[in-house]
Amino acid sequence: GAVVSQHPSRVICKSGTSVKIECRSLDFQATTMFWYRQFPKKSLMLMATSNEGSKATYEQGVEKDKFLINHASLTLSTLTVTSAHPEDSSFYICSARDWAGGYYNEQFFGPGTRLTVL
Amino acid sequence: QKEVEQNSGPLSVPEGAIASLNCTYSDRGSQSFFWYRQYSGKSPELIMFIYSNGDKEDGRFTAQLNKASQYVSLLIRDSQPSDSATYLCAVELRWGADGLTFGKGTHLIIQP
């Protein structure tokens, strides 16, 4: 199956700093990528949909100025958490859809990034 | 508002038995339905998806969909201890077009 990578896998930062998380589709072109967030013992919540070359679409309640998403190429989307605070500590997971080979209509998930804000 | 409901469990099943996991969804227009398995600290792994009413089988797993009742289930036959995980039901409103709405997951424990 298709592979999606995320970097970094873990990051610890101080409150007030910004953190960038990368999501890459390694062996396919992803016209659409999705960003999810998962708090401990909670389910995944869709944050935003990222389409290559256009602005991201954010879910209700997600601050677009705080969670900046850039999808500049067909293989890379980035999520920047700006002015991070302890309540932003979470597990951030991206997924990518490959329409060209989307035989199974599957979203391929990355391994996730654990963000801890001190 | 889109909602996906699952019993959080834990659901305890003896090894070799059938585990039955259930899910209901609120948006009647939803078109695609997914079952994922998630181990602690890891991202979800797709088990299978279904979009037509009825049953779909893949090895030890069978997904069942009843759109009239807005109900999706997953059966795991010959349960193994390695099947112990949290199982997430996810729903997509438009086939191939949207992000997924996840349930909170059912924690399944297979007892050796």
Side-chain angles (χ1 to χ4, degrees):
Chain A
V3 179
V4 175
S5 70
Q6 278 185 247
H7 178 80
S9 58
R10 278 182 188 275
V11 58
I12 300 173
C13 69
K14 294 182 179 180
S15 185
T17 60
S18 294
V19 174
K20 180 184 284 188
I21 302 170
E22 292 186 350
C23 176
R24 292 183 185 273
S25 57
L26 297 185
D27 51 2
F28 67 100
Q29 294 184 329
T31 54
T32 304
M33 289 184 172
F34 302 91
W35 287 95
Y36 296 84
R37 178 170 56 183
Q38 186 175 33
F39 292 107
K41 300 192 184 301
K42 301 292 185 182
S43 193
L44 280 80
M45 296 293 294
L46 178 66
M47 297 176 65
T49 301
S50 170
N51 290 299
E52 186 265 338
S54 63
K55 290 184 178 180
T57 303
Y58 291 82
E59 295 297 304
Q60 190 174 4
V62 177
E63 301 175 58
K64 62 180 180 180
D65 293 332
K66 182 170 185 61
F67 299 99
L68 301 179
I69 293 172
N70 184 283
H71 191 163
S73 79
L74 286 172
T75 59
L76 174 65
S77 177
T78 60
L79 168 67
T80 301
V81 183
T82 62
S83 186
H85 291 285
E87 57 266 29
D88 299 322
S89 298
S90 188
F91 192 40
Y92 292 87
I93 309 173
C94 72
S95 71
R97 170 171 283 133
D98 170 20
W99 259 118
Y103 177 71
Y104 291 107
N105 183 32
E106 177 178 354
Q107 287 189 28
F108 300 98
F109 281 84
T113 296
R114 177 81 55 192
L115 170 63
T116 303
V117 184
L118 303 177
Chain B
Q1 185 172 351
K2 296 174 283 187
E3 291 184 353
V4 178
E5 299 288 341
Q6 293 181 258
N7 188 324
S8 61
L11 174 65
S12 186
V13 174
E15 182 176 358
I18 296 175
S20 178
L21 305 164
N22 305 314
C23 168
T24 59
Y25 58 96
S26 63
D27 195 322
R28 184 171 290 278
S30 300
Q31 296 185 342
S32 307
F33 308 88
F34 303 80
W35 282 101
Y36 286 86
R37 177 171 60 195
Q38 186 177 31
Y39 296 107
S40 181
K42 304 294 184 182
S43 67
E45 306 169 1
L46 180 69
I47 298 173
M48 60 193 308
F49 74 96
I50 187 169
Y51 51 83
S52 297
N53 275 327
D55 296 357
K56 179 180 179 181
E57 186 174 320
D58 184 1
R60 295 188 296 116
F61 301 94
T62 299
Q64 299 173 318
L65 173 62
N66 184 326
K67 289 187 178 180
S69 301
Q70 295 175 235
Y71 175 88
V72 193
S73 66
L74 179 71
L75 300 177
I76 307 175
R77 289 181 297 281
D78 188 24
S79 298
Q80 303 297 311
S82 58
D83 294 327
S84 298
T86 296
Y87 288 79
L88 303 173
C89 174
V91 173
E92 182 178 44
L93 183 61
R94 296 175 301 164
W95 186 86
D98 292 322
L100 301 180
T101 301
F102 283 86
K104 292 183 178 179
T106 298
H107 184 203
L108 176 65
I109 299 172
I110 306 300
Q111 296 178 322

